[in-house]
Structure formats: structure tokens, C-alpha cells
Amino acid sequence: MISKLFDPQSVALVGASTKQGSVGYVILENLVTRFKGVVYPVNPKYDEVELWGRRIKFYKSILEIDAPIDAVVIATPAPTVPKILEEAGLKGVPVAIVVSSGFAEAGNVELENWTKAVAKQYGIRVLGPNCIGVYNAYTNFDTIFLPADRAGRPPPGPLALISQSGAVAAAIMDWAARRKIGLGLMVNYGNKIDITEVELLEAFAADDRIKVITLYIEGFKYPGEASRFLESVRKIVPKKPVVVYKAGRGRAAQRAVKSHTAAMAGTYEMYHGLFQQAGVIEASSVREMFDMAKALAYQPIPRGKRVLVVTDSGGMGIQAVDALEALGLEVPEVPESIANELKRELLPFAAVSNPIDVTGSATDEHYKIVLDTLLPTAFFDMALVVTLMQVPGLTKNLAEYIINSKKYGKPLVVVNFGGSELVQKFEDILEDNGIPVYPTPERAAKALWALYKYAEVKRKI
């Protein structure tokens, strides 16, 4: 039944509006102009209106719709929600997304409990209230009430996001859209009077479109949720990685969590221990969560933690080694016999010990020589490649050599820094072919650490 939450064929929008800028207007525009299914706007104020170049029929209530409805989106004042859910129950609607706010997060616990009771009486699964709902990039089912010109919609892709905060979810979507990160599914669950992050995790784990699940969490709400989370996620992570960012770590932040989504923040140490037991990969920021998720979605998991560093900048190479070693990864020296071979092929002043510095006089072919010589060997499990394209001997053809290195079956990430058209084109080619690109060695190193961490988790669980 919960699958109707992400992939409905027909949707009723209660609170649909013709008033520009209103919540009901934005959601209606999303659904009417892009959604691939059938939309039934519900608002007793209207009969038929002209919007977006088409005639749109409005219904007085859900009960007036003479067709099956997979999901109802409710965007009306909080006190009206229980009655609307009752009508949805009489209609046989299996899933409701309650966008409306003004429940327990605003002190109206009794109203929230009443809403929950009505939904339970009629067997309706409820997402929310106080949420922005669902975004499905594959079908354009989109209940986000923020205009697309302000909050971008990312393209389809292998990442899924579950977020306790609606504003954070929207900001992540906008950020992902600007960077062309494939965020296929997003759900914000708000006050979670019914559907929880555990059920959402299990649904995404069973979805073949999704390779990595990301989770932004502020705190569990009910007793027993932590144990259910642990039990569920331990079954998921051997199949798919789960990357979590827990907000609300300090005492003041925990107060904010309680007022935001009526959740119990708990101590950060408790959550940290829970994540370690569950086998999730923990991020320290939203950006880091997606840096790691991007690598996990497109790169193979490594056999070990030995990293080859190739760079055309000695300084960047040193930074990369510092970052890798700080994370517990290894940067072993190149064996002498292979180092001698590289000396014959590279420029006389190139450094061949690891990091391998092909220098600012490098050409595309120098990178190819290093990668083709060392990646097939058993001495390295992963590679971090720094490509400062300001070097005159490099061209966008270098991307082809790096992409071809995928044949060795080892994780590879690239550090590419700059703002020129060449830099951007080079980065786009790599990303389009599944090679994650990062602007700093530290971020690239953390991505490789996530791959190694997930390999360790799979071995243990």
C-alpha cells in the first residue's frame, strides 16, 4: 500500500487553489503541468477554471470524484484535516499526504491525535502532517509547495532522500538540481503520525531504481523507534548503503528539534552508537552526505584501504595524503621496480613514490601511463586523481583515459578545481560517466573513506 505514496496513478489535491503563490496553487501546478498520472483538484469554491492553457475541472469534495484515487494530498487548514481524511476513508483512498501544519509542532497535540485516530479507523496510511511530502523524478509526482524557479527539481537518478525537515529537503533538492545530481525519490515525513523513516527505508531498499539511501534525521518521536530502526537497517545495508546525517547534536540544538517536528532529540552519543550498530555511514553535514552517496552509487566497493594518489600539483597531492591518512586510509609507496618503470615513461622531474606528481608539465598521456601501470596491480585498492586543468598540457581527452580506468574494477574519484569552461566540461564528462568529482582533496578522500567503510560494514554484517 505504501508504494502508492511514491507512484500513484491518480491523485486528489484537497485545497487546490487558483491563487498564485499559495500552497494549493503551487502543488496544483506541479501536478497538472508535469505529473504523468491523473489529477483531481478539490475545492468547493470553483467549478471549472482556465489555468496553464487548459480547462481544469474542480470537485466539491473527494466523494464527488467518480473514479479510483490512489493518494490524496491535503493542503487545507489543520482543523479541517480529520473531516477530509474521513471522506477519503469513505472513498477508499489508501494513502494521504498531509501538507498542512499546525499540529503537535505548534502545541495542538489533541488535533494531531484526532487526525491519527481517524486515519487508523479507515485504514489510511498518512505521511505527515507538517511536511512537504513526496518528489518522484521518474513520474514527476511532486507535492513540494515551493515554486520550481526557487527550489529546483533534480533529475532522475540512483539516490533517494528521506528527510525529517521539509525546508532542508527542499534546499537539498535545489542544491542537487543545480549540480545535476540524480535524486530520484525524496520524502519528507514531518510529524510522522503514521508512516515513519523505517518504513520509508524499507520501501527504498526494495526499489530497484535506488542504489543509495540518504537520511536527514533530527530525532525519533516514539519509544521503541530506535530498536525498530536498528533491526530494519541491519537488514538493508548488506544490499544498499544508507548514509545518515543527524542534526541536533548539542543541547541548544536539541531544544530546536523539539519545537521543529515534535521529535525527541536524545543525546547525540546515543544516535552515534545506534548508527554504528546498524551499519549506516554517518556524515557530518548534508554536503558530506551527498559527497559520499555519490561515490557509493557509482563506484565499486574496494578490497582494502590502500590509495593511489596521482596529481599534477605537488601541493594538492600533499593535501590529499594528509586527508586520506587522517581518515585511516593508507597511501603506500610504489614498489621500486614499478617506480623505475614509471621514471622511464614520465618526465624526468616527476615524483613516482605515491603521491605520484606528474607535474605542471604533464600531458593527458602521463596520467594514462600511471593509471594503466598501477591500477591493475595488487598494490592499490583505490585511486584519488587530482586534475588541475589549468596545466597547459591537459585537454578534455584526459576524461576518456580516466573513464577507461573503470575497467580495472577499482574505486576512483577525481579532484577538479576551477571555474573555466574547460574545467566544467571536463567535470561534466566524468560525472556523466559515473566518475565522482570533488573540488577539494578532503571531500574526495571522505568519499573514498565511505566506500571503504561500506566494504567493512558488508564484511561484518
Side-chain angles (χ1 to χ4, degrees):
M1 186 185 294
I2 198 174
S3 64
K4 301 290 187 184
L5 181 67
F6 316 116
D7 290 290
Q9 300 298 309
S10 57
V11 179
L13 172 59
V14 183
S17 175
T18 62
K19 184 181 177 183
Q20 283 193 356
S22 67
V23 170
Y25 179 91
V26 174
I27 298 175
L28 182 62
E29 183 178 16
N30 293 343
L31 297 175
V32 168
T33 61
R34 298 198 302 275
F35 176 50
K36 295 176 182 178
V38 182
V39 184
Y40 299 104
V42 177
N43 191 324
K45 295 180 182 177
Y46 312 110
D47 292 311
E48 232 180 64
V49 297
E50 180 87 23
L51 286 171
W52 309 295
R54 63 193 81 186
R55 295 292 296 175
I56 298 174
K57 174 179 171 56
F58 278 73
Y59 296 83
K60 304 299 180 186
S61 78
I62 297 173
L63 296 173
E64 191 182 293
I65 301 168
D66 187 22
I69 303 169
D70 288 338
V72 58
V73 180
I74 303 175
T76 59
T80 67
V81 171
K83 184 177 186 302
I84 293 166
L85 280 175
E86 185 177 3
E87 292 180 351
L90 293 170
K91 179 65 180 173
V93 181
V95 174
I97 299 170
V98 182
V99 173
S100 316
S101 59
F103 293 86
E105 84 286 352
N108 294 326
V109 177
E110 188 175 335
L111 177 60
E112 184 165 300
N113 289 337
W114 179 22
T115 301
K116 185 176 181 177
V118 171
K120 188 174 182 180
Q121 178 184 349
Y122 289 96
I124 303 173
R125 301 307 311 275
V126 174
L127 183 73
N130 182 35
C131 71
I132 61 174
V134 175
Y135 170 71
N136 182 332
Y138 296 96
T139 66
N140 288 325
F141 177 53
D142 181 355
T143 70
I144 314 303
F145 54 79
L146 304 170
D149 61 343
R150 296 193 178 200
R153 288 357 185 220
L159 306 185
L161 169 65
I162 301 168
S163 177
Q164 195 162 359
S165 165
V168 169
I172 289 173
M173 286 176 58
D174 186 45
W175 176 83
R178 309 305 175 198
R179 287 156 183 80
K180 302 177 184 176
I181 294 173
L183 183 59
L185 295 171
M186 187 288 300
V187 181
N188 161 233
Y189 54 86
N191 291 13
K192 60 174 177 181
I193 62 170
D194 178 26
I195 296 171
T196 68
E197 58 270 275
V198 170
E199 284 185 277
L200 297 171
L201 282 161
E202 290 171 349
F204 288 155
D207 195 317
D208 292 336
R209 296 170 296 189
I210 301 304
K211 292 183 180 178
V212 180
I213 305 168
T214 63
L215 173 64
Y216 170 84
I217 184 171
E218 293 172 357
F220 294 122
K221 188 175 181 180
Y222 304 110
E225 280 193 304
S227 59
R228 287 193 292 273
F229 177 89
L230 176 60
E231 180 183 357
S232 179
V233 173
R234 283 181 68 85
K235 295 176 183 176
I236 294 170
V237 292
K239 305 169 190 174
K240 293 181 184 180
V242 177
V243 186
V244 176
Y245 171 50
K246 163 70 174 79
R249 301 185 179 198
R251 191 172 298 174
Q254 289 169 19
R255 291 198 306 270
V257 165
K258 187 175 181 181
S259 65
H260 183 206
T261 51
M264 298 182 295
T267 65
Y268 169 66
E269 290 73 21
M270 183 272 285
Y271 284 94
H272 178 66
L274 176 68
F275 297 152
Q276 285 192 317
Q277 290 181 63
V280 304
I281 297 167
E282 190 178 0
S284 60
S285 68
V286 166
R287 185 188 69 184
E288 185 174 277
M289 180 168 71
F290 278 87
D291 279 353
M292 296 193 292
K294 188 167 65 169
L296 288 160
Y298 292 109
Q299 292 295 297
I301 59 174
R303 291 190 291 268
K305 57 182 177 180
R306 299 165 300 174
V307 183
L308 167 67
V309 177
V310 190
T311 179
D312 57 357
S313 161
M316 280 287 199
I318 293 167
Q319 292 175 51
V321 172
D322 279 346
L324 291 163
E325 291 187 333
L327 293 166
L329 301 177
E330 297 176 1
V331 186
E333 285 193 51
V334 175
E336 187 177 352
S337 59
I338 301 178
N340 290 334
E341 182 182 337
L342 288 173
K343 285 179 182 178
R344 290 192 293 269
E345 299 285 342
L346 300 178
L347 295 168
F349 39 89
V352 295
S353 61
N354 196 27
I356 295 180
D357 182 4
V358 292
T359 79
S361 300
T363 65
D364 302 338
E365 286 71 23
H366 290 136
Y367 278 90
K368 183 179 188 301
I369 289 165
V370 175
L371 295 172
D372 287 346
T373 300
L374 292 173
L375 278 185
T377 72
F379 298 111
F380 299 99
D381 305 304
M382 301 177 274
L384 187 156
V385 182
V386 179
T387 57
L388 298 189
M389 298 302 289
Q390 294 82 5
V391 168
L394 301 184
T395 74
K396 66 179 181 181
N397 293 331
L398 174 57
E400 183 182 338
Y401 293 147
I402 294 173
I403 293 163
N404 285 341
S405 297
K406 290 165 65 175
K407 65 188 176 186
Y408 300 118
K410 296 181 178 179
L412 190 152
V413 298
V414 170
V415 176
N416 188 42
F417 187 76
S420 70
E421 185 178 349
L422 173 62
V423 167
Q424 192 56 56
K425 283 184 178 178
F426 177 75
E427 183 173 323
D428 288 345
I429 293 169
L430 290 174
E431 293 268 359
D432 289 345
N433 285 276
I435 304 291
V437 181
Y438 304 94
T440 68
E442 292 78 13
R443 290 172 64 179
K446 198 61 182 279
L448 289 179
W449 172 86
L451 290 164
Y452 172 70
K453 179 75 172 176
Y454 183 57
E456 288 286 285
V457 166
K458 287 195 73 172
R459 277 193 281 269
K460 288 177 183 176
I461 293 183

